[in-house]
Amino acid sequence: MVIQHRYKSPSGKVQQAQQLENLYAKCPLFRARNPSILSSRQRLPPRWKPANCRKYTLPSANVKCRACADSRFSSTSPSKHSHKPNNEENFLSERTMLQIHGGKRLEGEVKVSGAKNAALAIQAGCLLCEQPMVLHNVPDLVDVANMGEVLQSVGASVERDGHDSNSLVLNCSELTSSSPSLESVVKLRASFLVIGPLLARNGETSVPLPGGCAIGARPVNLHIRGLEALGAKVEVKDGVVHATVGPEGTLRGSRVYLEYPSVGATETVIMAAVVAEGETVIENVAQEPEIVDLANFLVSVGARIRGAGTKVITIQGVRSLHGGEYTVIPDRVEAGTLLVSAAITYSNLWLSSIVPAHLTSIVTKLEETGCQIKFKDDNRLELIPPPELLSTDIRTLPYPGFPTDMQAQFMALLTVAKGPSVVQETVFEGRMAHALELQQMGARLSVAESTAFLEGIQEDHGGLQGASVAGSDLRGTAALVLAGLAAEGITKVQGLQHLDRGYDKLDQKLRSIGASVERISMDNAKD
Ligand code: EPZ
């Protein structure tokens, strides 16, 4: 079927419809991006250029887009050249890697971005708001964009604010569906967080099971049990969780005990209970700062919540929530990762936009390695490295214990500390993959289940060597980037589709303090 339409591409060159047909036939990404190109001939394809397809090699770049390393865009930030992060971004992150020249001292100050894990829960919470909402300090992440798509799939509108790219404008006043689309949900585990607000708002919802990921099975039994305690009828069928509010037509406040202080399950029960009938008391809840931020957001739009940040949360149900503006907290895990980048390279570093209280366990462990951390006024700190990093032991625990999301980064740090260390992961059963990659870089360690035994730097050996390594999850990839900063020679880190999910321009931030980190296309990389 040959189409006689002619298309005007952004570069002004006239495109042959046939060319687009070929692309449509051959390139799954082009299809994903332009699903309707064969159905509505009127719609002009936005700014897709053949060169973005796997078949085409990327040109040698002077100014590179951080996602696609493409040089034809004037600005490095995807959102600034209206590059909408989605599958395409994942694909392109998969096609790029970081090349790191190690051994460089870092210097300067970095502003920490908004917290991914707070922003995702708050985005889900916006589904309860019957008026428009503006969220500030929202990081520019693939996960945040994907959560936006989940909300759009039930009829919400989600836009980046044209004036402030770190703000999101959301309008969930007119939802058109009570169940998110499968396409949007499968891209993001945290999408399961919409089950509480959609059930409470619509009285019923069906949300696909998020399934496991590289770090563990990650069941959602505690989420389901929490909703059942509020009177919901829940059935899991063919990989989908179907929930309805039961005969009274609304959820009912009640006592909920969580067997484990799960972050996600706590968030689900809070979001379901804020518009339930009566009072809910949730015990053994998670106390993470992201939980407190979600509760503060919900209170700012009319909810009645007490005790967030403690072991027991009490909620008085209200009829509905309004809209407003809210600013997301800074990302304590990004702050921790940047602090380790300074410690592992023996560099002085300043961080701004931090909340000291959120960093207590991380700072304590850094001090045990010999670092000094000086807090300057209420949202800045300075790290001063020791003459020699000392070993220490790490055991991950729910907050306020040491965060599992910092385990990998500290493992990288302790591979270059003097003396042996033990790193024990207790929150997720499969979060040790980075240990094998660190071994590739010369780290002397062994792993037994979820515990790693590190030899650290010894008299007769020590230090990391540059190598080609690949991350298989978000924090594991970040740990390999940090190891590359300390390693001798060149390290090539693959797995940026994981990194870009949770770090807002990490490579740019590291470059801004003197690191030699370059995002290169795998198609152009010469081994
Ligand atoms: C949140 O995941 C974070 N993700 C994770 O960050 C973080 O590692 C984790 O909390 C712990 O702090 C987001 O907020 C989007 P959990 P979540 O429920 O909610 C088990 C990152 O790197 N469990 O507290 O999934 C579960 O299997 C990510 O940014 C059940 O058994 O964590 C795990 O072993 C990774 N049944 C443990 O509890 C349930 O119903 C902790 O999970 C729920 C959880």
Side-chain angles (χ1 to χ4, degrees), residues 116-117 218-222 262-264 405 427-428 431 475:
K116 166 182 82 84
N117 291 342
R218 304 182 78 174
V220 291
N221 55 323
L222 300 177
S262 147
V263 171
D405 295 347
V427 177
F428 289 104
R431 204 171 204 178
R475 308 303 173 182

Side-chain angles (χ1 to χ4, degrees), residues 116-118 120-121 143 188-193 213 215-225 260-267 286 288 290 331-333 397-399 403-406 426-429 431 473-475 501-503:
K116 166 182 82 84
N117 291 342
L120 294 175
D143 272 9
L188 174 72
R189 255 199 65 77
S191 58
F192 194 73
L193 290 175
C213 75
I215 63 176
R218 304 182 78 174
V220 291
N221 55 323
L222 300 177
H223 297 241
I224 293 173
R225 235 172 274 143
Y260 181 90
S262 147
V263 171
T266 303
E267 292 167 337
E288 272 69 0
E290 295 76 28
D331 196 318
R332 62 194 169 103
V333 182
L397 287 167
Y399 191 89
T404 171
D405 295 347
M406 281 302 300
T426 74
V427 177
F428 289 104
E429 71 277 14
R431 204 171 204 178
D473 65 271
L474 166 59
R475 308 303 173 182
R501 284 188 35 236
Y503 286 97

Side-chain angles (χ1 to χ4, degrees), residues 264-276:
T266 303
E267 292 167 337
T268 289
V269 179
I270 290 175
M271 290 192 276
V274 285
V275 288

Side-chain angles (χ1 to χ4, degrees), residues 316-395:
Q316 200 58 47
V318 294
R319 287 184 61 72
S320 66
L321 300 184
H322 50 77
E325 290 199 39
Y326 189 80
T327 300
V328 175
I329 56 172
D331 196 318
R332 62 194 169 103
V333 182
E334 185 196 27
T337 304
L338 290 165
L339 286 174
V340 171
S341 77
I344 205 168
T345 54
Y346 289 89
S347 311
N348 271 66
L349 183 70
W350 288 81
L351 287 187
S352 62
S353 181
I354 51 105
V355 179
H358 295 172
L359 299 172
T360 308
S361 61
I362 297 171
V363 164
T364 307
K365 283 295 166 186
L366 281 169
E367 286 169 344
E368 286 176 14
T369 67
C371 296
Q372 283 178 62
I373 310 279
K374 294 193 176 151
F375 290 100
K376 310 282 179 184
D377 60 45
D378 57 2
N379 72 348
R380 290 174 72 235
L381 66 76
E382 180 190 12
L383 180 138
I384 300 154
E388 187 174 43
L389 283 166
L390 306 173
S391 65
T392 184
D393 294 341
I394 299 284
R395 185 162 180 269

Side-chain angles (χ1 to χ4, degrees), residues 198-334:
L198 285 176
L199 174 63
R201 177 110 186 247
N202 304 314
E204 52 123 19
T205 186
S206 296
V207 181
L209 278 169
C213 75
I215 63 176
R218 304 182 78 174
V220 291
N221 55 323
L222 300 177
H223 297 241
I224 293 173
R225 235 172 274 143
L227 294 176
E228 287 172 336
L230 298 180
K233 299 272 168 290
V234 182
E235 187 204 6
V236 181
K237 200 157 169 287
D238 308 331
V240 177
V241 180
H242 303 280
T244 58
V245 291
E248 290 116 7
T250 173
L251 293 173
R252 199 186 51 251
S254 153
R255 282 196 93 75
V256 181
Y257 174 78
L258 293 179
E259 263 172 55
Y260 181 90
S262 147
V263 171
T266 303
E267 292 167 337
T268 289
V269 179
I270 290 175
M271 290 192 276
V274 285
V275 288
E277 288 282 323
E279 180 176 278
T280 297
V281 177
I282 326 171
E283 293 168 281
N284 196 30
V285 294
Q287 298 168 265
E288 272 69 0
E290 295 76 28
I291 299 283
V292 177
D293 207 28
L294 173 66
N296 290 345
F297 154 71
L298 291 168
V299 168
S300 77
V301 290
R304 294 170 59 193
I305 305 175
R306 282 180 288 114
T310 73
K311 272 281 166 213
V312 179
I313 292 178
T314 305
I315 299 170
Q316 200 58 47
V318 294
R319 287 184 61 72
S320 66
L321 300 184
H322 50 77
E325 290 199 39
Y326 189 80
T327 300
V328 175
I329 56 172
D331 196 318
R332 62 194 169 103
V333 182
E334 185 196 27

Side-chain angles (χ1 to χ4, degrees), residues 444 458-462:
R444 296 212 175 170
Q458 306 282 346
E459 295 311 317
D460 61 346
H461 77 268

